[in-house]
Amino acid sequence: MVNNYYDLVNALKDLDIDVVSLENLIFDPQKTYLRIPHKTFKTEFLPQLTGLPSYNDSKQRSKAINLDGNEINIIGYKYLILNKKSIDREIDREDIKVLQRLNQDRGL
């Protein structure tokens, strides 16, 4: 897990992103995550997702999409809700309400 973090930091560095603060960070899989803000959304790299059975199970239930020629896996709706419930922060409780409303509106 620690190696993955530093591999990600090195990949960002290769993209000319300033990673000095990330290189000096002491990685703790219980607390460390990487958030990259964009204009309309943020990308988060999490070392683990609590409340889910396993990485392999989560990946099998994810959806692979192509983004600018890169395949990325998006966590499934049910697993996202499970994860947010297990974290149980105020922001996650609010996210769950919004996600459930959007899901209901889509008739899923």
Side-chain angles (χ1 to χ4, degrees):
M1 202 177 311
V2 173
N3 289 340
N4 288 342
Y5 174 79
Y6 289 109
D7 287 346
L8 178 59
V9 169
N10 288 329
L12 293 170
K13 189 176 187 177
D14 289 345
L15 295 171
D16 293 325
I17 295 172
D18 180 10
V19 294
V20 172
S21 63
L22 300 174
E23 291 174 323
N24 297 324
L25 183 70
I26 297 173
F27 181 81
D28 177 350
Q30 298 298 320
K31 299 178 182 174
T32 304
Y33 66 93
L34 177 59
R35 177 180 290 149
I36 302 173
H38 306 279
K39 288 182 181 179
T40 58
F41 67 97
K42 61 185 173 251
T43 304
E44 294 181 337
F45 297 91
L46 307 169
Q48 61 186 2
L49 294 174
T50 59
L52 304 182
S54 71
Y55 170 80
N56 288 333
D57 189 56
S58 299
K59 186 173 181 186
Q60 287 176 351
R61 299 177 195 289
S62 68
K63 180 178 181 179
I65 64 167
N66 186 300
L67 183 65
D68 295 331
N70 299 292
E71 185 176 289
I72 60 172
N73 291 79
I74 305 297
I75 189 170
Y77 171 81
K78 289 180 184 178
Y79 274 26
L80 178 59
I81 298 296
L82 280 174
N83 172 249
K84 289 189 167 292
K85 284 182 178 179
S86 71
I87 296 171
D88 198 36
R89 300 175 301 179
E90 180 60 32
I91 191 168
D92 294 300
R93 290 188 293 273
E94 291 301 316
D95 286 348
I96 290 169
K97 290 176 188 175
V98 171
L99 288 166
Q100 288 174 332
R101 187 177 65 246
L102 290 171
N103 196 39
Q104 187 176 21
D105 290 348
R106 292 181 71 199
L108 299 176

